[in-house]
Amino acid sequence: MTTQEVKRSKKKSAQKESITQEENKAEKPSKPVELKYGPTVSFPYQRVWSRCVLILGVLLIVWYNNRQGKEVYLAKQKDVLVSRTQNVDCSMDYRDELENYSGCIPEKCGRVVTDKLVSTTEADVLLRLAKSGIDLAGSDGGASILDLHSGALSKSQGFINIYKLPEAKKIFNSIDSAIYKVVKTKIQHAVAHNFGVDINKIYLTKPTFFSRMTNKSAKTIHDEYWHPHIDKETYESFHYTALLYLNDFNKDFEGGRFIFMDKNDVNTTVEPRKGRVSIFTSGSENLHLVEKVKSGTRYALTVSFTCDKNAAISDLSFTAALN
């Protein structure tokens, strides 16, 4: 073998060895490079988007709730309450006025709801009176009243005296008058007990009236019962207000809930229940409204008390009123 042939042979051997080494490198997996600052961050885009949607939903709910204000329930229709109280700070004007009436200043201002004060039978008698009396006339709009002491009854867009109607003698009698007086006395005792005032220093005051509310469109300002108001401003003599509900929310009517409008956009709601009595101090600490009735007919009786003896009215006698 010549020298030239030996060189060619060595060159071919070197090329084969190089190819073999490259093939071995390709077959053997390379060791991953260790990064100085830990693994590379990856972004699971689907998870990121789902979390963004969830956060956005939560923010929308919070915004909506803040815009609408918070609602708490003092009494739901299904509740059967012996007594439930919610205290609030007395307004300064209310307390300042009552400083003039010894024994009539509440220990605390607030609201009380009870379902154990008025019996079902008593509520049924008063509901019958409300229906029979208001049906003799009634407002053209959604709100009608019957003032038991003056006899003022809504008719069309004005008022008439129900005790001047011949039909009234078929509706009112001495037994009904006695039942009304028993209910009024029970409520008066409840006011005195719950607010810590002398029962002999609070007096029945006018107006004392049945109300009927429907979803008819308002015809006069008297039909617009849904505006926020303060009883002490509407009726100057009122110091303690009581409402007796004569039928049931979500059974006899929809809407018509009673709502106290408190500070920080908090609404405190009372759902009417037959025989339920709601009592509250009449000052600006108890700004309130009645929701519009959506369907059905809502009946209630308002009975209120004053600390001013000069604003007191005598107990009702249907027999005397009809004569």
Side-chain angles (χ1 to χ4, degrees):
M1 183 179 290
T2 64
T3 304
Q4 192 173 5
E5 289 175 341
V6 170
K7 287 181 179 179
R8 285 197 200 102
S9 177
K10 288 182 178 179
K11 187 175 181 180
K12 287 181 181 180
S13 296
Q15 287 176 345
K16 287 181 180 180
E17 185 177 350
S18 176
I19 292 170
T20 302
Q21 288 177 352
E22 287 178 2
E23 288 177 349
N24 290 338
K25 286 181 181 179
E27 292 175 1
K28 184 178 180 181
S30 61
K31 183 179 180 180
V33 179
E34 293 185 2
L35 299 177
K36 184 176 180 181
Y37 299 105
T40 304
V41 178
S42 61
F43 291 90
Y45 292 104
Q46 185 175 1
R47 182 178 297 177
V48 170
W49 279 110
S50 64
R51 287 180 178 177
C52 288
V53 171
L54 178 61
I55 292 170
L56 181 60
V58 170
L59 291 174
L60 285 172
I61 291 171
V62 171
W63 173 81
Y64 181 80
N65 286 338
N66 287 336
R67 184 176 67 86
Q68 293 294 102
K70 182 180 178 182
E71 182 177 38
V72 296
Y73 283 89
L74 182 56
K76 291 190 174 184
Q77 191 279 334
K78 63 181 181 180
D79 297 335
V80 181
L81 304 174
V82 174
S83 182
R84 180 174 289 170
T85 302
Q86 184 181 50
N87 295 323
V88 295
D89 293 333
C90 296
S91 57
M92 291 303 297
D93 53 343
Y94 178 76
R95 184 166 284 279
D96 288 347
E97 180 182 338
L98 291 188
E99 290 292 341
N100 299 318
Y101 302 102
S102 176
C104 201
I105 304 172
E107 293 175 352
K108 292 181 179 179
C109 289
R111 312 96 189 224
V112 181
V113 176
T114 175
D115 296 314
K116 295 295 185 178
L117 190 63
V118 176
S119 71
T120 301
T121 300
E122 291 164 342
D124 283 339
V125 169
L126 294 175
L127 177 60
R128 177 182 58 78
L129 284 176
K131 287 182 175 181
S132 301
I134 296 176
D135 281 350
L136 292 180
S139 169
D140 288 342
S144 300
I145 69 162
L146 169 56
D147 186 333
L148 292 174
H149 285 262
S150 70
L153 170 64
S154 300
K155 182 176 182 181
S156 186
Q157 297 183 24
F159 295 91
I160 60 172
N161 188 339
I162 192 173
Y163 296 131
K164 300 298 183 183
L165 300 177
E167 300 92 332
K169 292 184 178 180
K170 299 177 182 179
I171 297 173
F172 304 104
N173 56 56
S174 58
I175 296 175
D176 295 338
S177 180
I179 290 174
Y180 165 79
K181 185 176 180 180
V182 167
V183 170
K184 184 272 301 182
T185 302
K186 286 181 178 181
I187 294 173
Q188 186 174 7
H189 278 271
V191 170
H193 171 73
N194 284 284
F195 292 105
V197 298
D198 186 342
I199 193 171
N200 297 311
K201 297 295 179 69
I202 54 174
Y203 311 96
L204 185 67
T205 191
K206 62 181 180 181
T208 295
F209 59 92
F210 289 122
S211 59
R212 182 183 75 183
M213 297 177 181
T214 69
N215 63 351
K216 285 185 179 180
S217 299
K219 302 300 181 183
T220 70
I221 192 171
H222 300 294
D223 296 320
E224 298 179 8
Y225 56 83
W226 52 82
H227 297 301
H229 65 278
I230 298 164
D231 282 357
K232 192 76 181 64
E233 294 180 356
T234 306
Y235 307 106
E236 187 177 353
S237 65
F238 279 27
H239 291 117
Y240 297 95
T241 305
L243 297 170
L244 168 60
Y245 298 107
L246 299 176
N247 59 350
D248 291 296
F249 167 76
N250 264 0
K251 291 184 179 179
D252 302 303
F253 58 93
E254 293 182 355
R257 301 180 306 166
F258 189 97
I259 298 175
F260 294 102
M261 304 179 69
D262 294 325
K263 297 176 181 178
N264 301 321
D265 292 325
V266 176
N267 294 332
T268 301
T269 300
V270 176
E271 294 180 347
R273 176 186 175 90
K274 179 184 280 191
R276 171 168 288 168
V277 177
S278 175
I279 306 167
F280 52 94
T281 48
S282 306
S284 58
E285 67 280 348
N286 279 320
L287 174 69
H288 61 272
L289 59 80
V290 175
E291 286 181 328
K292 287 184 179 181
V293 171
K294 298 176 182 177
S295 64
T297 306
R298 177 190 190 270
Y299 288 96
L301 171 65
T302 299
V303 181
S304 297
F305 299 90
T306 184
C307 300
D308 183 1
K309 194 172 183 178
N310 294 323
I313 58 176
S314 60
D315 280 327
L316 174 66
S317 171
F318 291 143
T319 304
L322 289 167
N323 294 329

